[in-house]
Amino acid sequence: MSDAQKRFVVYPGSFDPFTLGHLDILERTLRLFPKVVVLVAEDGKAGLLSMQQRIALIQAAVSGLAGVEVRGFSGLLVDAVLDIGAVAVVRGLRCAGDYEHEWGLAGVNSLLASQVEFVYFLARPELAAISSTLVRDVFKHGGSLAKLVPGEIDAGMKKEFPSR
Ligand code: ADP
């Protein structure tokens, strides 16, 4: 295996739940890197699914993609990145608000570990409105998730919360 083939990246996030926007970023990342570790944050925003539920659902949604590993993590992102030996962190940018958030995140992380590089993908316009927060709202009120999340996530959420 060449050095380039050994280079892998992490795609961290809350993924509560994993959406079609997340899937698109993951698929595009796989065109540039042979392996992506999806890092599911244990703590963060008050959400819907536990870390174990999120990991299981993402594993089901990405089972057809070669080169994807799904893991949970807690603590500092840069520690997780250095620990597993990834060359970069992948993030998605949907709008100016995301840019501001990512600007702070990358800035502080580079002060903590300047060797950890960040790579950004601009959201596809047709998927840029999708956020996990809005998906949770739609789900809470019984709306269809068909155009918002992968089929496995839709089915898995219905199974986890049959009364919704
Ligand atoms: P976090 O809590 O770390 O922001 P998210 O699960 O909300 O975690 O998002 C993970 C990453 O995916 C972030 O970089 C976010 O900007 C990006 N992202 C979220 N939704 C989309 C989308 N619809 N299109 C492209 N990127 C997205």
Side-chain angles (χ1 to χ4, degrees):
M1 199 188 276
S2 73
D3 275 358
Q5 284 170 324
K6 282 189 221 143
R7 288 187 185 188
F8 68 95
V9 295
V10 301
Y11 179 29
S14 309
F15 306 116
D16 190 17
F18 188 79
T19 70
L20 287 176
H22 293 134
L23 181 62
D24 182 60
I25 298 294
L26 182 59
E27 288 174 336
R28 289 161 65 194
T29 304
L30 284 167
R31 292 199 201 122
L32 300 184
F33 297 95
K35 179 177 152 188
V36 181
V37 178
V38 178
L39 276 184
V40 181
E42 181 171 26
D43 40 39
K45 306 160 192 164
L48 183 67
L49 300 159
S50 70
M51 184 175 76
Q52 291 314 329
Q53 286 172 320
R54 286 177 279 147
I55 290 173
L57 289 183
I58 298 169
Q59 276 168 338
V62 303
S63 63
L65 295 177
V68 183
E69 196 185 307
V70 188
R71 292 194 195 180
F73 91 102
S74 59
L76 283 178
L77 174 62
V78 287
D79 286 345
V81 174
L82 294 174
D83 190 40
I84 65 178
V87 294
V89 176
V90 165
R91 298 284 289 172
L93 296 174
R94 288 163 293 185
C95 56
D98 273 357
Y99 173 79
E100 285 186 19
H101 177 68
E102 297 299 330
W103 181 84
L105 201 73
V108 169
N109 278 313
S110 79
L111 294 173
L112 295 175
S114 59
Q115 67 274 44
V116 175
E117 206 51 77
F118 282 68
V119 175
Y120 300 94
F121 285 84
L122 287 185
R124 284 195 198 287
E126 65 272 26
L127 298 174
I130 303 176
S131 68
S132 297
T133 306
L134 288 174
V135 169
R136 290 197 299 273
D137 271 357
V138 171
F139 184 65
K140 208 159 64 184
H141 296 103
S144 168
L145 299 189
K147 292 182 180 166
L148 305 175
V149 301
E152 296 83 356
I153 302 284
D154 191 1
M157 285 176 68
K158 283 181 185 139
K159 212 168 142 196
E160 296 286 351
F161 303 97
S163 58
R164 298 249 172 115

